[in-house]
Amino acid sequence: MIEAAKGTRDILPGEVARWQLVEQQARDIFTLFGFREIRTPIFESTELFTRGVGEATDIVAKEMYTFLDRKGRSLTLRPENTAPVARALIEHGLLRGAEMHRLYYIGPMFRYERPQKGRMRQFAQIGVEVVGSDHPAVDAETLQMLMLFLGRLRLGALELQVNSVGCSVCRPVYRDILVAALRPHRDALCTDCRRRLETNPLRCLDCKVPADRAIVDGAPPILEHLCADCAAHFARVRGHLDGLGVAHTVAPRLVRGLDYYRRTTFEVVSTSLGAQSALLGGGRYDGLIEELGGPPAPGFGFAMGEDRLVMSLPGDLPGLEQASGVFIVVLGDEAVAAGLLAAARLREAGRAAVVEPAPQKSLKAQMRRANDLKARFVLILGADEIARGTLTVKRMADGAQQEVAAASLVQALTELDHG
Ligand code: AMP
């Protein structure tokens, strides 16, 4: 038997309603805030990610699905979608004016990671990018939108944690301060952090190894070393969040894995999930577009793992598992044609209908099938009904049953909908 590749999985029809619900909520709420969808390719030139995400990041160093195509070009399955969106904006000349772009995307990403619960090699992200403004109100309003979305999904207790990682002026200064503080403890750090100390020392700040945490907690926090502009920016982001009533906490050790972040970074953590408690994260990336060869254009965005969102949904979320369709039970082969006609009439009236031509199956077996398909109504067509030109209608919620003339079927169901 050939199985799905390691780290990938099928989303079967029984599960798909939860995914569609999450995506529909995202589309509805993002649209309320003026965001529009963008769809970029699944694979890109490898160089886009080495430049845009950064050689020293875990993603580029060890997690990319990179391959040569038949002409020897190096291509990579997208591990994230901020760099591709930036590339698209540059390539199509959309950054020549001064206007803002509010974009969102929904789709699969690929990272060669060790699969575990909530961590896949192919996973879906829902993300948004606002490009063209570095105003702190952009950060705050985008976070307001995010928390509204998560609230609609009723994911339980969530905490929005914010931080600032400075800019190209103050971050290098802080980087030296951090390295100087950590270097005396180098031998006590984990192997990853020893490497990070040379390549990407800020990443030591969010190391999860307890012994490292104790050391890092003693290092000076970045918020005390921001330049005046970055400190003011962070204060204004927080001010706007307060003004919009968006609850948040400051997490001074919060840095993100990707090199391109400047100033605001944030994560939303679920206080009810275990090890993979970070539901999503993002931040400001004011240097990225220039790094990729575009004009100066600041940006702010986030990406959330849809797999984790779906996993965390409450079972009784409104909109899930609503019985809607009609299942038509045909008893005996002579009932099949009448069943098809009834289904056609229902669909014309906008009602989903299924007739399964298994006339030899017992009524009981067909009713079980209707139950499995979560039908709202069942129509029964047997020899008696055919002879009388009627159908027996059964409302599954309460078992209410009546015989109706074939010609008034649609109207009868409408009445039963409200009855
Ligand atoms: P990142 O692009 O690394 O900032 O990740 C953003 C979000 O995507 C994370 O908070 C997760 O929810 C999700 N995510 C990242 N990697 C994976 C993965 N391998 N499997 C499932 N979800 C992931």
Side-chain angles (χ1 to χ4, degrees), residues 6-20:
K6 188 172 173 187
T8 70
R9 69 187 196 96
D10 303 302
I11 298 162
L12 297 173
E15 257 178 297
V16 115
R18 298 162 72 79
W19 290 75
Q20 289 174 337

Side-chain angles (χ1 to χ4, degrees), residues 82-385:
T82 299
V85 168
R87 183 216 27 85
L89 289 173
I90 298 167
E91 182 173 336
H92 298 283
L94 297 173
L95 298 171
R96 286 195 203 109
E99 69 269 29
M100 277 174 70
H101 298 272
R102 293 186 173 85
L103 303 169
Y104 77 87
Y105 58 83
I106 299 176
M109 307 295 154
F110 305 84
R111 294 184 196 172
Y112 193 84
E113 295 190 89
R114 208 153 52 85
Q116 47 180 287
K117 190 161 183 269
R119 184 172 295 286
M120 302 291 292
R121 289 181 173 170
Q122 173 173 338
F123 59 98
Q125 279 188 343
I126 301 178
V128 319
E129 315 290 351
V130 186
V131 177
S133 169
D134 65 358
H135 198 289
V138 165
D139 309 30
E141 196 189 38
T142 309
L143 290 172
Q144 181 207 8
M145 174 175 85
L146 169 63
M147 297 316 282
L148 188 67
F149 166 70
L150 296 174
R152 286 271 179 95
L153 297 181
R154 298 202 297 158
L155 296 178
L158 298 178
E159 189 174 86
L160 170 62
Q161 302 181 341
V162 296
N163 192 25
S164 173
V165 294
C167 65
S168 54
V169 174
C170 52
R171 187 144 82 172
V173 178
Y174 174 71
R175 184 187 154 116
D176 291 347
I177 293 170
L178 182 66
V179 171
L182 295 182
R183 184 145 285 147
H185 307 281
R186 185 179 184 281
D187 294 342
L189 293 171
C190 71
T191 40
D192 277 343
C193 278
R194 266 180 260 158
R195 178 176 49 81
R196 289 175 190 141
L197 200 54
E198 311 304 327
T199 57
N200 201 356
L202 262 73
R203 289 276 358 229
C204 297
L205 290 176
D206 67 353
C207 179
K208 302 289 184 284
V209 178
D212 289 40
R213 289 224 60 90
I215 298 169
V216 163
D217 281 343
I222 191 164
L223 289 177
E224 287 174 13
H225 295 276
L226 296 179
C227 63
D229 285 351
C230 286
H233 191 274
F234 189 53
R236 291 179 69 198
V237 171
R238 297 198 59 206
H240 283 297
L241 285 173
D242 288 338
L244 291 167
V246 180
H248 62 282
T249 57
V250 175
R253 314 252 168 243
L254 174 70
V255 293
R256 306 270 314 144
L258 314 183
D259 269 0
Y260 50 61
Y261 285 114
R262 296 283 177 276
R263 293 188 168 166
T264 316
T265 56
F266 71 91
E267 273 182 7
V268 176
V269 299
S270 159
T271 39
S272 55
L273 276 181
Q276 301 299 329
S277 64
L279 209 52
L280 68 116
R284 181 159 275 295
Y285 48 86
D286 292 349
L288 174 67
I289 301 218
E290 275 175 280
E291 175 63 34
L292 293 174
F300 181 87
F302 62 78
M304 42 197 166
E306 199 177 348
D307 304 64
R308 279 179 216 175
L309 285 181
V310 169
M311 260 168 46
S312 320
L313 287 184
D316 59 348
L317 199 68
L320 273 181
E321 302 293 342
Q322 267 178 1
S324 58
V326 180
F327 188 89
I328 303 174
V329 172
V330 289
L331 299 169
D333 210 35
E334 54 292 348
V336 170
L340 291 178
L341 269 182
R345 234 180 246 149
L346 290 171
R347 294 178 193 130
E348 231 167 78
R351 237 179 230 283
V354 168
V355 49
E356 285 188 347
Q360 309 328 323
K361 269 200 197 162
S362 70
L363 176 61
K364 204 166 150 211
Q366 295 202 49
M367 291 303 288
R368 242 196 329 267
R369 179 84 179 123
N371 244 328
D372 289 348
L373 292 176
K374 302 201 165 53
R376 179 166 163 76
F377 294 106
V378 171
L379 306 184
I380 302 163
L381 268 169
D384 292 349
E385 283 88 356

